[in-house]
Amino acid sequence: MNPNEEADPNDPEFAIPIFDMSLLTSGSHDQRSKIIHDLVKICQEWGFLIAINHGVPESLMNAMIDTCHGFFALPDEEKQEFKLGNDVLEMFKYGTSYNPATDKVLLWRDFFKVRVHPEFYSLYKPSCFSEMLMEFSKRSREVALEITRAISKSLGLEPNYIHDAMNMDRGLQMLAANYYPPCPQPEHAIGIPHHTDHGLVTLLIQNEMNGLHVEHNGKWLTVDGPTNCFFVNLADQMKILTNGKYKSVMHRATLNNKAARISIAIPHGPSVDTIIAPAPELMEKEGEPPKYLAMNYKEYIHLQRSEKIYMKYTFDHIRA
């Protein structure tokens, strides 16, 4: 893939799939069947969709963005109170780079991450943060679980298959907020380099500034969606579980020189002690051997973050 080749957003080949979640529950039988059928192609070819009519109030999504902006506006010395080590599984942390142990350049962003499930943690600044975070995390989790049920059905499995096999009742859920200030020379810097996510499915919202790029058919595409939508990308454990049938999408964050961008990613994964391997039911149905080695989710996270494979393709290290 040419790292700088961008897709024409007006080309029908690069029309990002819109996924109307209301049809999963309130649509007719034919509508429900069609959206599950369409989901197969979306997951195979894109690994990415824009979810609308998901049930989370726009006022809550906007308030969460405003609350995160309030944190980033705090004086530096107050934000430093939340600066911990480099373990991705920590309760919370604040920083200014992607992976300080391995980054060769300082990236153009501030961020914080909070673990909100199975245990709920929160920052204690700004004052309203904890209450807002709890409500938004709960509502976005409902969306993620509804999507995993739909994906299970699209694979010809029981609706709760992924939830149960991945122990999602105690699954890892994080909230990661990113603040990208205006950059004088955006072509010479990056917000977050290209990567795939390590979990099952990630939801993302943003303020009015675009900056998310996803890879599709060898080109980068700037994601632009309607108001009150979730950007949804499939992640590595979904690809492993489906034995490569469904795609873990490559994506990155780019910069602009006009205004600050805030994005909030909500990754959802298995429980950290779950051993993830291709689903036996799918391999039997497809008549294929496993393409990936079984691995503990926590070990996978640390593998992906390690200097040994930083900015490389994690799947190359777990092929069966």
Side-chain angles (χ1 to χ4, degrees), residues 8 19 47-48 71 101 104 122 132 141 156 173 178 193 212 268 287 290 309 314:
D8 177 0
F19 189 69
F48 186 86
F71 173 84
K104 304 299 183 267
S122 178
M132 185 68 62
R141 182 170 185 78
Q173 178 184 348
N178 301 291
L212 175 65
H268 300 261
I309 65 165
T314 314

Side-chain angles (χ1 to χ4, degrees), residues 161-182:
Y161 180 88
I162 293 173
H163 179 278
D164 296 345
M166 298 289 97
N167 299 307
M168 291 188 76
D169 56 322
R170 47 193 176 85
L172 179 66
Q173 178 184 348
M174 307 287 290
L175 181 137
N178 301 291
Y179 177 80
Y180 306 99

Side-chain angles (χ1 to χ4, degrees), residues 234-306:
L234 303 192
D236 292 357
Q237 305 312 310
M238 191 69 78
K239 180 171 179 175
I240 295 168
L241 185 68
T242 63
N243 205 31
K245 181 182 176 77
Y246 284 178
K247 182 178 179 179
S248 178
V249 70
M250 189 73 73
H251 55 289
R252 66 184 184 183
T254 58
L255 304 167
N256 75 83
N257 58 9
K258 298 181 182 66
R261 175 174 179 255
I262 291 179
S263 70
I264 303 173
I266 314 99
H268 300 261
S271 69
V272 292
D273 59 352
T274 298
I275 305 291
I276 293 91
E281 294 86 346
L282 288 179
M283 289 188 294
E284 185 177 338
K285 193 186 335 184
E286 305 278 344
E288 291 184 345
K291 296 177 181 175
Y292 307 108
L293 301 172
M295 182 176 278
N296 172 285
Y297 181 38
K298 186 175 183 179
E299 290 176 10
Y300 185 93
I301 292 172
H302 289 302
L303 173 67
Q304 190 202 47
R305 302 277 300 182
S306 67

Side-chain angles (χ1 to χ4, degrees), residues 10-248:
N10 297 314
D11 185 337
E13 178 188 348
F14 295 97
I16 298 174
I18 303 289
F19 189 69
D20 185 348
M21 293 190 64
S22 67
L23 298 179
L24 293 172
T25 50
S26 60
S28 67
H29 175 75
D30 287 348
Q31 286 175 318
R32 291 196 299 272
S33 297
K34 183 180 185 305
I35 196 167
I36 295 296
H37 179 265
D38 291 346
L39 190 57
V40 176
K41 188 175 182 182
I42 292 171
C43 293
Q44 287 179 328
E45 297 182 1
W46 281 86
F48 186 86
L49 56 87
I50 295 174
I52 61 171
N53 297 328
H54 44 69
V56 181
E58 185 173 7
S59 57
L60 176 60
M61 298 170 80
N62 290 337
M64 189 72 239
I65 291 172
D66 290 344
T67 304
C68 291
H69 192 274
F71 173 84
F72 291 118
L74 290 171
D76 283 348
E77 60 270 20
E78 293 189 45
K79 290 184 285 193
Q80 294 297 330
E81 296 171 24
F82 302 99
K83 196 164 189 174
L84 297 176
N86 296 327
D87 188 344
V88 71
L89 297 174
E90 281 176 330
M91 298 178 293
F92 51 75
K93 68 174 180 176
Y94 162 75
T96 56
S97 189
Y98 184 67
N99 189 345
T102 52
D103 278 341
K104 304 299 183 267
V105 295
L106 194 64
L107 306 175
W108 199 270
R109 70 159 183 162
D110 279 2
F111 73 89
F112 70 79
K113 296 182 180 181
V114 190
R115 180 154 43 103
V116 295
H117 194 273
E119 307 90 7
F120 177 80
Y121 296 99
S122 178
L123 311 180
Y124 49 83
K125 295 178 181 179
S127 58
C128 59
F129 188 87
S130 183
E131 184 181 352
M132 185 68 62
L133 177 65
M134 179 170 279
E135 179 64 15
F136 180 74
S137 300
K138 182 172 72 99
R139 296 297 296 269
S140 57
R141 182 170 185 78
E142 291 167 359
V143 175
L145 294 179
E146 187 70 43
I147 289 171
T148 58
R149 282 192 289 271
I151 292 173
S152 289
K153 285 163 50 172
S154 77
L155 292 163
L157 301 168
E158 289 297 313
N160 284 332
Y161 180 88
I162 293 173
H163 179 278
D164 296 345
M166 298 289 97
N167 299 307
M168 291 188 76
D169 56 322
R170 47 193 176 85
L172 179 66
Q173 178 184 348
M174 307 287 290
L175 181 137
N178 301 291
Y179 177 80
Y180 306 99
C183 180
Q185 295 180 295
E187 66 278 6
H188 295 307
I190 191 75
I192 300 179
H194 66 274
H195 65 287
T196 58
D197 292 347
H198 54 67
L200 287 162
V201 62
T202 300
L203 276 54
L204 185 137
I205 63 173
Q206 62 182 18
N207 65 355
E208 65 280 358
M209 298 303 297
N210 291 330
L212 175 65
H213 277 191
V214 297
E215 182 274 323
H216 182 63
N217 291 347
K219 293 183 180 180
W220 289 112
L221 179 64
T222 300
V223 179
D224 189 12
T227 58
N228 198 35
C229 71
F230 279 108
F231 301 150
V232 181
N233 64 269
L234 303 192
D236 292 357
Q237 305 312 310
M238 191 69 78
K239 180 171 179 175
I240 295 168
L241 185 68
T242 63
N243 205 31
K245 181 182 176 77
Y246 284 178
K247 182 178 179 179
S248 178

